[in-house]
Amino acid sequence: MEVSINIDSAVNRKPHRPEHPTAHAAFNPPGLSVTDRVIVIGAGIAGLAAALDLSTRGREVLVLERAATPGGKLRQIVIDGRPIDAGPTVFTMKRVFEELFADAGTSLEAQLTLRPTEILARHAWSATERLDLFADIGRSTEAIGTFAGRAAAHGFRQFTVRARKMFETLEPSFIRNPRPTPISMVTTAGPLRMLQVSPFASLWSALGQHFRDPRLRQLFARYSTYSGASPFQCPATLMLIAHVEQDGVWMVDGGMHRVAQAIAALATSKGAEFRYNTHVAGILTSGGRASGVRLESGEEIAASQVIVNADLGALSGGLFGPEIARAVPRANPVGRSLSAVTWTMLAEARGFPLSRHTVFFGNAYESEFTDIFRHQRLPRAPTVYVCAQDRDDAGLGAAGPERLLCLVNAPAIGDRRRFEPSEIDPCETSAFQLLERCGLTLDRTPANTVLTTPAEWNALFPATGGALYGPALHSWNSSFQRPPAKLGLPGLFLAGGSAHPGPGVPMATLSGRMAAHAAMLARPSSSSRPTSPSPSRLAATPGGTWMR
C-alpha cells in the first residue's frame, strides 16, 4: 500500500515540539545493548535534516562524519584566509527550511540571515549579447522581448504557465509521495494531467515549442543540469524547475556552508551527538536487521537503526560490507549524472559586469553533452558558470581580489581514471577564452586557485565517480528507479541525492526528512512505545541548487 505524506492537511497544524527537551546521556560503550539509538552516517544536508527531526522527537542520535565539518557537498575552501563556497551556491525554496526549523521549535529567521535576489542569473553569449532573468516574471518577459523580440516574450509566458502546471501536477503525485509509482501518479493526478507533463518528450524538443531563438532554447535547457542531466536526453518534466526558481533565490550571509552549520548546531542542542573525522568502515547486522556500525578504528557502535547519507553506489559497491551490498538495489555507473571541474579562486575580475550568478554560453551546446555522456571526456566547448560571492545580484560589493567559483560540466568517471593535464588544460583554455570573448578577464594565480576534478569529487564522495546528482534522469521512468528511504534490510534507511525524491539541497533535505519519518514508523518494538508522529510539513521542491 502506498504511504503518502499529506502536506496539505498539515499546513495549518502546529509543528511538533517536544514538551520537555531531551537531555541525552552519553552514548553507551560499544557492546552494550542499545534499542533506541539511531546512527546517521554522513553529515550532508540529508543526514543533518534526519538528525534534527529525530533528535527533536526524542530519539538518541549519533552522527558520524568522516570530514572535519558538516555539510557534505555544502563545503567551503579557504584561500588566503577567506572561505569560498565550493559546492552549491544558491539557496532556493526556503519554505522547505522554514518548515524544518519550525518543526524543531524555532524559525528560519532565527537561524539564518537571507537576502532575496532580484536577478536570478545573468547570461552572456558574447560581449554584446546579455540577458538577465528576474524573480519578477514581468521583468523577465520585458527583458526577453528586448533581447529576442515580441514572439520570444510570448513564448516565455507560455513556457512559465506550462512549467507551473507541471509543478502543480507532480508535487502531490510524485514529490510528496515517499514511494511514487506510475500507477499511483495517474491515480493522484489523473491520466490527462500526467500526459500534459510531457514525460516522453525531451526537454530540448519541448523548448522548441516555445523558443525559436536558439539562445533562449539554450538558456532554459540549462535547467536539466540542475539535476545533472543532458537536455537532449532528459524528459521535458524538468522544465518545472523554472517555476521553482521563480519562487525566489536567496543569498545566505556566511555562505551556503552556514546552512549546514545552523542545522548541525540545532540538532546538537536537541541532544544529537556529532563525531567528525570518523570513518565508518561497515554496517553491522544481527538477526536479519541493521544493528550498528564498525568504524575504521575497529570500534563497534550498536544501534537500532542506521540512516546512510551517502550515494547508493557506496552501499551497492560493498563499501559498507557485502551483506549490505546484497540488500540494496545496484547502482548503474553508466547512468551517472554530471560531475564538474571547478576552479575556486581569489581573482581580480575586469571588464564584464558580473552578477552574483552568471552563465556564459558557447555556440556548440549539443557537443558539450555529447562529449560528456557519449565520449566520457571533458567538453571541448563548455558552458561556464561563475559565482561571484562578494557581489550582490546587481554586481555591487566586490573590491580587490574577489571570491569566485568557476564551473564546467564533466563526466563522472573519477573512480576509473584521473584526467591528465593534457585533457584539463584544453578544457580550461576553452572555458576562460569564452569568458574573455564575453568581456570578462580574470587575473588569477595558481597560488590562489584550487582545482577540483571528478577524481577529487569521487574521493570526497566515494563510489560516485564524482557524480554530483546520483543517477541521471535520462528516461521517463528514471525517477522511479531511485530507491525510497526504507531499504530491503530492516533498520537500514537511505537519504541523499541518489534516493527519492532526487538531488539538490532542498530535495536532499526532503529525503533526509523522509528517512527520519520512515525510521520513526519502523521503530523497533523492543524500544519504548512506538511513535509515529504526524508527517512533518514537508514542502518538497524539485531541482537543485547548483547553477549552470
Side-chain angles (χ1 to χ4, degrees):
M1 181 178 70
E2 293 295 332
V3 179
S4 179
I5 294 180
N6 188 342
I7 304 172
D8 295 334
S9 66
V11 167
N12 296 316
R13 176 181 54 78
K14 291 183 179 180
H16 173 89
R17 297 186 180 98
E19 294 182 4
H20 303 287
T22 303
H24 295 295
F27 285 97
N28 296 330
L32 293 184
S33 176
V34 178
T35 58
D36 201 36
R37 177 186 297 163
V38 183
I39 289 177
V40 178
I41 302 174
I45 193 67
L48 293 171
L52 178 56
D53 274 349
L54 290 168
S55 58
T56 295
R57 290 175 171 81
R59 297 299 297 273
E60 189 178 358
V61 178
L62 173 62
V63 182
L64 303 172
E65 169 57 54
R66 68 177 192 150
T69 59
K73 295 184 180 72
L74 285 173
R75 68 187 192 124
Q76 288 184 328
I77 291 176
V78 179
I79 299 177
D80 198 19
R82 299 173 65 181
I84 307 173
D85 279 338
T89 55
V90 183
F91 190 94
T92 58
M93 290 301 292
K94 71 173 183 176
R95 182 175 48 147
V96 172
F97 301 93
E98 287 173 340
E99 293 167 353
L100 174 69
F101 288 123
D103 282 348
T106 182
S107 67
L108 174 63
E109 292 74 19
Q111 302 298 323
L112 297 169
T113 300
L114 306 180
R115 289 173 291 140
T117 63
E118 294 183 12
I119 300 175
L120 300 178
R122 179 161 292 161
H123 308 85
W125 290 262
S126 70
T128 58
E129 298 170 288
R130 298 174 190 166
L131 174 64
D132 290 349
L133 286 186
F134 298 90
D136 178 78
I137 290 178
R139 291 185 68 186
S140 291
T141 303
E142 182 179 352
I144 288 172
T146 301
F147 179 76
R150 181 180 301 177
H154 178 68
F156 172 71
R157 280 288 190 181
Q158 290 181 319
F159 168 75
T160 58
V161 171
R162 186 177 180 183
R164 174 178 55 80
K165 289 181 177 179
M166 284 187 177
F167 178 80
E168 292 172 349
T169 297
L170 293 175
E171 185 185 30
S173 62
F174 179 80
I175 301 164
R176 291 180 178 178
N177 188 339
R179 298 198 68 173
T181 67
I183 293 176
S184 71
M185 292 178 65
V186 171
T187 301
T188 301
L192 180 59
R193 293 201 69 175
M194 285 306 304
L195 286 175
Q196 289 174 343
V197 303
S198 307
F200 306 114
S202 73
L203 176 61
W204 186 257
S205 63
L207 289 172
Q209 300 170 19
H210 300 281
F211 304 109
R212 291 180 177 271
D213 191 307
R215 298 168 299 178
L216 295 178
R217 197 174 178 185
Q218 187 179 35
L219 187 160
F220 291 104
R222 74 186 175 91
Y223 287 117
S224 67
T225 64
Y226 281 30
S227 292
S230 163
F232 302 94
Q233 295 176 264
C234 74
T237 50
L238 287 187
M239 70 170 60
L240 61 80
I241 301 173
H243 173 73
V244 172
E245 191 177 70
Q246 287 293 157
D247 196 50
V249 172
W250 286 263
M251 294 176 286
V252 182
D253 281 5
M256 288 293 291
H257 186 65
R258 178 74 189 102
V259 178
Q261 292 174 324
I263 299 174
L266 187 57
T268 300
S269 74
K270 301 292 182 182
E273 179 179 326
F274 286 76
R275 296 189 192 177
Y276 298 105
N277 299 306
T278 302
H279 182 80
V280 175
I283 297 173
L284 305 175
T285 61
S286 177
R289 61 177 297 113
S291 60
V293 301
R294 183 182 66 260
L295 304 184
E296 190 176 47
S297 65
E299 178 185 0
E300 294 186 351
I301 307 174
S304 63
Q305 295 170 315
V306 177
I307 294 176
V308 185
N309 179 199
D311 193 89
L312 175 65
L315 283 83
S316 66
L319 297 190
F320 293 102
E323 187 170 355
I324 302 303
R326 291 191 293 269
V328 302
R330 180 159 296 279
N332 179 12
V334 177
R336 288 171 175 166
S337 62
L338 291 168
S339 184
V341 173
T342 63
W343 296 267
T344 308
M345 67 180 76
L346 290 177
E348 295 269 4
R350 296 182 287 105
F352 185 94
L354 284 171
S355 181
R356 178 76 168 209
H357 307 290
T358 307
V359 184
F360 297 86
F361 292 105
N363 55 9
Y365 201 50
E366 186 169 7
S367 72
E368 175 180 355
F369 297 96
T370 299
D371 283 343
I372 293 171
F373 286 108
R374 182 183 299 176
H375 300 299
Q376 300 282 281
R377 65 191 179 197
L378 295 177
R380 294 164 294 177
T383 300
V384 184
Y385 163 64
V386 178
C387 179
Q389 297 173 33
D390 292 312
R391 302 186 184 223
D392 60 17
D393 55 334
L396 303 176
E402 56 183 299
R403 299 175 301 159
L404 301 172
L405 174 69
C406 299
L407 178 150
V408 302
N409 295 317
I413 59 172
D415 55 344
R416 299 206 297 269
R417 70 181 187 88
R418 178 180 292 274
F419 287 113
E420 299 295 332
S422 60
E423 299 170 281
I424 295 174
D425 291 349
C427 179
E428 180 174 356
T429 297
S430 179
F432 286 90
Q433 283 181 346
L434 171 61
L435 302 185
E436 291 179 356
R437 288 198 302 272
C438 293
L440 176 63
T441 298
L442 298 179
D443 294 332
R444 56 196 177 101
T445 65
N448 283 342
T449 303
V450 175
L451 175 70
T452 306
T453 71
E456 281 80 38
W457 290 116
N458 181 72
L460 290 168
F461 310 105
T464 64
L468 299 172
Y469 313 85
L473 303 177
H474 280 169
S475 66
W476 71 270
N477 65 344
S478 55
S479 293
F480 301 106
Q481 296 171 7
R482 292 179 184 270
K486 187 176 181 180
L487 296 172
L489 182 70
L492 183 64
F493 305 88
L494 180 66
S498 67
H500 176 74
V505 173
M507 292 286 269
T509 301
L510 180 60
S511 169
R513 304 201 72 187
M514 286 181 174
H517 182 66
M520 292 299 291
L521 290 177
R523 196 173 187 178
S525 58
S526 59
S527 67
S528 57
R529 181 176 60 84
T531 302
S532 177
S534 298
S536 300
R537 297 173 300 166
L538 300 179
T541 170
T545 57
W546 289 79
M547 300 288 287
R548 288 292 181 272

